[in-house]
Amino acid sequence: MGVIHKIGRRKTAVARVYVSEGTGNITVNKKDFKIYFPTGTLQYKVLQPLTLTENAENFDIKVNVYGGGTTGQAEAVRMAIARAMCELDVENRGVLKPEGLLTRDPRMVERKKFGQKKARKRFQFSKR
């Protein structure tokens, strides 16, 4: 097996994942993923596709991620890892698809409109 390269996106975050055979090390932007994603929920999101396919200890994963916030980055990494697990074994798709890990979340920030304060919020209306 060579190195598998996959991309995951969420909001404005983009994650490039390189999966190779190893012992379960995950590095995100040249840091350990537990340091890069300090909270338990973010760590759970990153590990979710590996635990569902029971591959947590089988692969070394190198991640480059940029853009967005920490939650968007964690979900982008999760999607990229899930795509890589599907390429390794086609049967993993049946486990990951029902969990929604292979679906690109289309929700983005709505643009600000002119004549308004934000996307939906208006300037204060004065009757007199």
Side-chain angles (χ1 to χ4, degrees), residues 11-115:
K11 290 187 174 181
T12 57
V14 179
R16 290 191 179 92
V17 168
Y18 303 90
V19 178
S20 57
E21 287 184 14
T23 58
N25 296 328
I26 302 174
T27 57
V28 180
N29 292 351
K30 297 178 182 173
K31 293 181 184 176
D32 184 53
F33 89 103
K34 289 187 177 177
I35 295 168
Y36 194 85
F37 297 117
T39 63
T41 53
L42 296 177
Q43 292 173 15
Y44 169 77
K45 283 181 182 179
V46 170
L47 291 173
Q48 196 176 6
L50 295 170
T51 53
L52 287 172
T53 57
E54 292 154 13
N55 286 323
E57 313 292 289
N58 301 346
F59 299 102
D60 284 343
I61 300 173
K62 185 174 168 273
V63 182
N64 293 329
V65 64
Y66 62 91
T70 53
T71 305
Q73 286 186 351
E75 292 183 16
V77 171
R78 175 174 74 174
M79 182 184 197
I81 292 172
R83 285 178 169 174
M85 292 299 114
C86 284
E87 189 169 308
L88 283 166
D89 189 5
V90 181
E91 293 173 7
N92 289 338
R93 188 173 179 83
V95 178
L96 297 171
K97 184 100 171 113
E99 297 292 322
L101 301 186
L102 298 173
T103 308
R104 163 73 161 99
D105 194 340
R107 294 176 295 173
M108 300 288 279
V109 176
E110 192 174 336
R111 71 174 284 269
K112 181 197 173 297
K113 279 80 168 186
F114 58 89

